[in-house]
Amino acid sequence: MTIALIIIAGFVLLGLFAPLVAPYDPDLADGSVKYLGPGEQGHLLGTDEQGRDILSRLIWGGRTSLIVALLASATSTVIGGALALVAGFSGDRVAGLIMRSIDIMFAFPVIIIALVLAVIFGPGTVVVVLSIVFSAIPYVTRVIFAEVKLQRGREYVEAAESLGAGFFSILFREVLPNVLGQTVVYGTGLVGGMIVFSSSLSALGIGVQPPTADWGRMISEGAKVIISGNVYPALLPGLVVLVVALAFNWLGDGLRDLFDPHHRRAGR
């Protein structure tokens, strides 16, 4: 988990201080220096098809990609967790209504939702965030709902009910603290997948629009010139997405071990 935290913190700091650490303007195109290899003419990681510095675009792209993934993951975790809490402690009619609605959301292809949102709002960050939230809420709700149902039968809940505690008091004072750990773990692990998903939408032209630097957009633009032998414009952002996504998954695994000592002992 320590390595994952170092990787994530490193990319977050690079994104925050992008104006200070990026060696070049990420959108500055120079046709005279196209397709430079790593280290050539002062460009540490080379340049892309428009002569833009790849390192600078990776740094600025991290700011965009991480903000989108973190915002969307946090929003979907909060909404999905709230739905799961209400469904888990409501009667069969309310719980059935919520969970059947979640099943319907599962049935919609995410790419279709993204395309519809792109038509309504126009391609951009809003489409990426809303698409990720829509796709993630069903998974979060299902996972947390199962845990809430498990907690509902515990003795501490029955004790609170026997003492006359109300619905919301039991929900937020008794149950929520006991499912918060798993919610945080799942939400953290979700970020890695959301980075990959947001990059995919940008690569398809639905997400972040040029000239804004974005890892998915960089992969898409670089892939067009791989056949000519220029692999760096696509390979480098692809590796960055892979490393950051894995780091968030490792962090989620570490938090799971931290919050769930039984799982940690079972893994030994």
Side-chain angles (χ1 to χ4, degrees):
M1 189 170 72
T2 302
I3 296 176
L5 284 173
I6 292 173
I7 293 173
I8 293 169
F11 278 98
V12 169
L13 289 174
L14 284 174
L16 288 174
F17 296 102
L20 300 177
V21 298
Y24 297 92
D25 182 340
D27 301 327
L28 180 62
D30 184 354
S32 65
V33 291
K34 295 192 300 182
Y35 301 129
L36 293 180
E40 294 182 12
Q41 298 187 29
H43 296 274
L44 188 61
L45 296 181
T47 59
D48 63 9
E49 72 283 353
Q50 296 185 36
R52 297 171 299 190
D53 183 67
I54 293 178
L55 176 59
S56 299
R57 290 185 63 76
L58 285 175
I59 293 173
W60 279 92
R63 170 182 283 195
T64 304
S65 298
L66 289 174
I67 288 176
V68 168
L70 289 170
L71 176 62
S73 298
T75 302
S76 57
T77 300
V78 171
I79 295 175
L83 290 173
L85 283 171
V86 174
F89 260 80
S90 298
D92 292 340
R93 181 173 298 180
V94 175
L97 177 62
I98 293 175
M99 299 314 295
R100 295 298 77 74
S101 299
I102 293 299
D103 291 340
I104 292 174
M105 293 177 68
F106 271 119
F108 283 95
V110 180
I111 188 63
I112 300 300
I113 298 299
L115 290 172
V116 171
L117 291 173
V119 172
I120 297 173
F121 298 104
T125 305
V126 173
V127 171
V128 177
V129 173
L130 292 179
S131 300
I132 292 175
V133 170
F134 185 91
S135 65
I137 284 177
Y139 295 96
V140 175
T141 304
R142 276 293 181 188
V143 171
I144 307 304
F145 175 75
E147 182 63 22
V148 172
K149 293 290 287 185
L150 180 64
Q151 295 296 326
R152 185 175 183 176
R154 297 290 172 84
E155 291 80 2
Y156 74 89
V157 173
E158 296 177 355
E161 289 176 340
S162 65
L163 293 173
F167 176 81
F168 289 103
S169 176
I170 295 175
L171 203 61
F172 292 105
R173 297 182 61 181
E174 305 293 340
V175 178
L176 180 59
N178 286 282
V179 301
L180 188 60
Q182 183 171 353
T183 303
V184 172
V185 169
Y186 191 78
T188 303
L190 196 64
V191 177
M194 295 305 99
I195 290 175
V196 176
F197 181 57
S198 64
S199 297
S200 301
L201 290 180
S202 294
L204 292 172
I206 301 174
V208 179
Q209 297 299 294
T212 303
D214 175 79
W215 292 340
R217 172 64 61 176
M218 292 177 67
I219 295 172
S220 175
E221 293 174 347
K224 298 175 183 177
V225 297
I226 286 181
I227 194 171
S228 64
N230 299 294
V231 298
Y232 294 109
L235 176 63
L236 295 175
L239 288 175
V240 168
V241 169
L242 175 63
V243 170
V244 175
L246 286 175
F248 275 104
N249 288 334
W250 293 335
L251 178 60
D253 289 340
L255 290 175
R256 180 182 59 189
D257 292 342
L258 182 65
F259 284 114
D260 187 359
H262 299 289
H263 182 274
R264 181 170 63 248
R265 286 196 295 267
R268 290 178 178 175

